[in-house]
């Protein structure tokens, strides 16, 4: 369930006019901007952007970029974009980072539905005039490249059917591949990039039942190189993305100084989808409400904006 609280009836023109007042003059009124955009869903935000452009012949996103700063500006910029645009931007930013940019690529490829991923790839074309696959390939090498390009370019079957015999044979194949370390990585790549998520979950469950250990744990024990870490992330995202996001949030706020990029990414991308369930998973795992930790680790209008997206206006 989503945490975003959006009114069923809103006037894009009135919202655009209110936003104009909030950004006009000396210094933007962050609280006024948050009170509007923090309570509008994707369709409503698009309508506001269009109304603002028509009324003032100005791009609302560019105006907000110039008026806001720091973590709030980055969070608001990601929020106001359409979902496919946003994910394309996040992928591009991740690929420019020196360390572990592959995490976001794996996340986008393995959490989104086949149709959503296809829309992201199309948005990437439009925004960057290149394919997402070629940028992934240009920034990686070896088996990691093969895995990531395979995940990004995959258009998985989205049905719920399970082939139990296939789950058994591919659980065995994964076991042998992990045992053989780098000699059989192609088999891991083939299975992770071609099967439906439902089929893969059945395979992972079969692996755990047959070998008495989760496949993610076995992968971690056998290797800590980038390929094994990326394969592990892919399995975590496919198996239970809510648990995966809980871990991302926990790590983001346990790191020295907090990882605002990861914190913003999860809250902004999941607020209209399943952030409520992620919050529940977080509470069960940590015995503290996510909102309390976010409130302690952030400040100012950035804190207010994240808490608003999480359904807390206090």
């Amino acid at each position: 369930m989503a945490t975003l609280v959006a009114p069923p009836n809103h006037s894009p023109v009135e919202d655009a006019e209110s936003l104009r007042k909030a950004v006009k003059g000396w210094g933007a009124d962050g609280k006024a901007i948050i009170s509007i955009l923090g309570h509008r869903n994707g369709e409503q935000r698009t309508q506001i952007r269009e109304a603002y452009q028509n009324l003032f012949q100005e791009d609302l996103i560019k105006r907000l970029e110039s008026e806001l700063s720091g973590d709030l500006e980055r969070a608001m910029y990601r929020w106001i974009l359409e979902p496919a645009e946003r994910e394309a931007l996040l992928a591009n930013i991740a690929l420019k980072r020196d360390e572990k940019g592959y995490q976001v690529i794996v996340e986008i490829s393995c959490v989104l539905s086949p149709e959503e991923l296809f829309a992201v790839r199309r948005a990437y074309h439009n925004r960057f005039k290149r394919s997402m696959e070629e940028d992934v390939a240009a920034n990686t090498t070896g088996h990691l490249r093969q895995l990531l390009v395979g995940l990004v370019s995959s258009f998985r079957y989205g049905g719920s059917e399970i082939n139990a015999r296939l789950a058994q044979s591919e659980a065995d194949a994964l076991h042998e591949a992990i045992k053989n370390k780098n000699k059989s990585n192609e088999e891991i790549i083939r299975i992770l990039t071609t099967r439906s998520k439902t089929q893969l979950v059945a395979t992972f469950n079969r692996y755990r039942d047959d070998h008495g250990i989760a496949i993610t744990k076995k992968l971690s024990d056998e290797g800590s190189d980038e390929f094994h870490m990326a394969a592990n992330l892919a399995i975590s995202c496919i198996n239970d993305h809510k648990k995966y996001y809980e871990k991302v949030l926990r790590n983001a706020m346990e790191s020295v100084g907090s990882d605002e990029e990861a914190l913003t990414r999860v809250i902004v991308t999941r607020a209209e989808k399943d952030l409520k369930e992620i919050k529940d998973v977080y509470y069960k795992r940590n015995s503290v409400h996510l909102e309390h930790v976010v409130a302690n680790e952030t400040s100012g209008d950035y804190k207010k904006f994240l808490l608003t997206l999480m359904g807390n206006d206090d």
Side-chain angles (χ1 to χ4, degrees):
M1 286 178 65
T3 52
L4 176 72
V5 181
N9 301 310
H10 85 113
S11 166
V13 170
E14 286 180 16
D15 285 345
E17 288 171 341
S18 297
L19 286 168
R20 180 69 168 183
K21 289 176 189 170
V23 298
K24 215 172 175 186
W26 186 258
D29 185 345
K31 288 179 176 55
I33 295 168
I34 292 165
S35 72
I36 298 167
L37 293 177
H39 292 101
R40 301 294 183 270
N41 61 35
E43 184 181 354
Q44 292 169 339
R45 295 193 303 275
T46 299
Q47 291 169 352
I48 293 168
R49 282 170 64 182
E50 291 169 355
Y52 193 94
Q53 180 70 48
N54 291 335
L55 285 168
F56 308 111
Q57 287 72 54
E58 182 179 56
D59 186 334
L60 176 59
I61 293 180
K62 288 182 179 174
R63 184 58 185 256
L64 290 173
E65 271 189 290
S66 69
E67 295 290 340
L68 304 175
S69 62
D71 293 324
L72 175 63
E73 183 272 318
R74 282 185 288 274
M76 188 65 72
Y77 182 71
R78 285 150 177 69
W79 175 245
I80 201 169
L81 291 174
E82 292 180 6
E85 273 187 290
R86 179 197 305 139
E87 301 287 0
L89 174 72
L90 290 172
N92 185 259
I93 291 170
L95 289 168
K96 290 176 180 174
R97 291 176 65 189
D98 292 333
E99 294 181 8
K100 292 190 181 176
Y102 61 80
Q103 177 178 352
V104 176
I105 303 302
V106 171
E107 191 177 295
I108 291 169
S109 303
C110 297
V111 174
L112 300 184
S113 71
E115 290 76 16
E116 287 171 332
L117 177 57
F118 190 77
V120 172
R121 289 164 61 195
R122 188 165 49 215
Y124 200 99
H125 287 176
N126 295 337
R127 190 178 184 97
F128 301 108
K129 311 307 176 192
R130 299 183 303 277
S131 77
M132 195 164 152
E133 297 91 319
E134 70 181 294
D135 278 2
V136 169
N139 286 277
T140 51
T141 58
H143 287 135
L144 177 65
R145 173 192 283 167
Q146 291 177 36
L147 175 63
L148 295 184
V149 171
L151 290 173
V152 166
S153 55
S154 177
F155 192 78
R156 301 178 190 276
Y157 174 62
S160 59
E161 294 86 351
I162 293 172
N163 183 327
R165 190 174 296 172
L166 183 64
Q168 178 70 70
S169 68
E170 294 197 334
D172 293 341
L174 286 169
H175 182 67
E176 288 303 311
I178 294 169
K179 235 177 23 174
N180 292 331
K181 295 194 175 175
N182 294 334
K183 294 173 187 171
S184 303
N185 285 346
E186 285 86 357
E187 193 68 352
I188 298 173
I189 293 166
R190 177 188 69 79
I191 293 168
L192 291 183
T193 59
T194 61
R195 300 301 183 197
S196 74
K197 291 182 185 180
T198 309
Q199 182 65 39
L200 284 170
V201 170
T203 299
F204 304 151
N205 289 340
R206 184 77 263 163
Y207 187 101
R208 186 191 61 235
D209 293 344
D210 287 353
H211 302 288
I213 185 172
I215 187 171
T216 47
K217 178 74 168 66
K218 186 66 175 174
L219 268 170
S220 298
D221 292 346
E222 292 296 328
S224 58
D225 58 277
E226 286 190 322
F227 171 78
H228 282 84
M229 290 170 73
N232 211 326
L233 281 172
I235 293 167
S236 297
C237 288
I238 292 165
N239 217 5
D240 188 341
H241 71 267
K242 297 181 187 75
K243 278 179 71 174
Y244 162 78
Y245 281 125
E246 181 280 324
K247 188 174 182 181
V248 173
L249 288 167
R250 179 161 32 95
N251 290 343
M253 288 180 287
E254 285 178 355
S255 64
V256 178
S258 301
D259 181 354
E260 280 80 10
E261 182 70 35
L263 178 61
T264 298
R265 185 178 81 248
V266 176
I267 292 176
V268 164
T269 59
R270 307 316 295 181
E272 293 182 85
K273 292 189 172 185
D274 51 13
L275 188 54
K276 187 176 186 304
E277 288 98 323
I278 294 167
K279 283 165 55 178
D280 292 342
V281 173
Y282 189 94
Y283 183 76
K284 285 176 187 172
R285 170 66 175 73
N286 304 286
S287 300
V288 61
H289 290 291
L290 180 60
E291 297 92 328
H292 294 164
V293 184
V294 170
N296 287 334
E297 293 293 329
T298 57
S299 61
D301 285 341
Y302 174 60
K303 173 172 90 171
K304 180 173 178 56
F305 183 47
L306 293 187
L307 292 176
T308 298
L309 295 185
M310 295 169 75
N312 290 70
D313 283 319
D314 301 332

